[in-house]
Amino acid sequence: MKIIVDKYYAPALMGGNALSINGLMDKVNAAWEAGYTITKSGIEMALYDIAGKHHRVPVAELLGGIYHKEIGLVGSVSCGEPEKMAAQANLWAEIGHKVLKVKIGKGADIDLDVKRVKAVREAVGSKIELRLDCNSIYRLDTAFRLIKQLQKFDPAFLEDPIDRWNIDGMACLTKVSDIPICVDNIIFTPQDAFNVLSKGAGHVIKVKLQRVGGFKNALAIIAIAEAAGVPVVVGRGSTLSISAAAEHQLIVASRNVIPWGENTGPQKQEEDIVKVQPRIQDGYVTYPAEFGLGVELDTEKINRYLLD
């Protein structure tokens, strides 16, 4: 990432107006068009942070204004032995999280996945919403069998049950599944979202701000989904507070986004590189009122973690 920034993106940005975000990002894309969406999203986040601080408003105001004043955060349960997953789920529920993302699919073992979900559901009860994520592990035929056995646990949706390339298969599941299907791993660009939704694949789609390249592409994907009548989930569960704050801003500003973000990365880290993390209480983060992204870098911590 550093090499690409130093060699290609920084020269494209030098001398430009930091408030001309779209124009500068066009120059960045022209400097190296293919890939590196995470790097590009970092640059775009920085530009929006500058613009928010310049105009003395949160980034959400630049994205269209405040629609949600409070965001629920989704606790994450990693895939493993059912008993350990149940214990993880309990920890999240005890600190106030009312929605949990439960990872399944490791080993592609339907019977074991059913035991995993059963253990989590029994641990947290019926009032906690469960989102299940297969990480594209199953074939289409086994996904049908899995769905039938998971229905009794009342999941909110099942994310990426089959291979990411199999859009037609995902569309087939969407038509017949009694559990809503969420599509995540194939959504990298607005064009991907259009292709997925035009084939009728997915009752819900996922947007990860870093993976799609930043706010501009994320807003385009959200608009495409809204036109198709499909809601959007935002969030990546393994970020530090900078990216989590950026995704909070996107959720706050978006009508078609379910206001429960999977942005719990900062809660899983031993330490962060910001001075003050977003305030989380009872599983909710309140609307970030500070200017820009709402976080301030801690240069002492950044210097401590720099590699020589």
Side-chain angles (χ1 to χ4, degrees), residues 92-289:
W92 286 106
E94 285 172 0
I95 61 174
H97 291 265
K98 297 170 179 63
V99 181
L100 300 180
K101 174 78 167 286
V102 181
K103 293 281 190 177
I104 60 176
K106 186 177 180 180
D109 184 333
I110 287 180
D111 293 335
L112 182 54
D113 275 341
V114 172
K115 290 177 182 177
R116 287 165 171 153
V117 178
K118 181 176 186 289
V120 170
R121 175 56 81 198
E122 289 178 349
V124 300
S126 60
K127 293 184 179 180
I128 300 292
E129 178 181 304
L130 300 183
R131 300 175 176 181
L132 310 180
D133 185 3
C134 293
N135 286 113
S136 305
I137 199 71
Y138 283 106
R139 300 193 315 264
L140 182 59
D141 58 336
T142 48
F144 279 112
R145 292 169 48 213
L146 177 67
I147 287 169
K148 288 183 179 180
Q149 295 190 52
L150 292 178
Q151 289 174 16
K152 56 181 173 286
F153 303 115
D154 191 30
F157 55 71
L158 183 64
E159 184 176 319
D160 288 334
I162 62 174
D163 292 314
R164 70 176 68 190
W165 54 264
N166 194 353
I167 301 176
D168 291 332
M170 201 76 79
C172 183
L173 282 178
T174 301
K175 289 179 182 178
V176 302
S177 174
D178 289 325
I179 301 174
I181 301 298
C182 177
V183 180
D184 171 26
N185 285 339
I186 200 170
I187 307 294
F188 288 82
T189 66
Q191 292 77 15
D192 291 333
F194 179 83
N195 289 336
V196 165
L197 295 173
S198 65
K199 290 191 174 185
H203 301 97
V204 183
I205 66 168
K206 169 84 79 65
V207 170
K208 292 176 178 171
L209 186 58
Q210 305 90 337
R211 188 174 65 193
V212 303
F215 289 114
K216 182 180 179 182
N217 282 347
L219 290 171
I221 292 169
I222 292 167
I224 291 168
E226 186 169 12
V230 171
V232 174
V233 171
V234 168
R236 185 166 177 238
S238 57
T239 63
L240 294 174
S241 285
I242 301 169
S243 293
E247 291 189 322
H248 294 161
Q249 299 281 349
L250 179 64
I251 296 170
V252 161
S254 302
R255 179 178 66 177
N256 196 46
V257 170
I258 298 171
W260 288 87
E262 297 179 6
N263 327 96
T264 50
Q267 291 174 272
K268 305 172 193 174
Q269 310 296 336
E270 185 172 326
E271 195 168 21
D272 212 322
I273 55 171
V274 297
K275 290 185 177 179
V276 180
Q277 291 185 355
R279 189 171 66 87
I280 299 168
Q281 186 172 4
D282 296 328
Y284 289 88
V285 59
T286 54
Y287 160 63

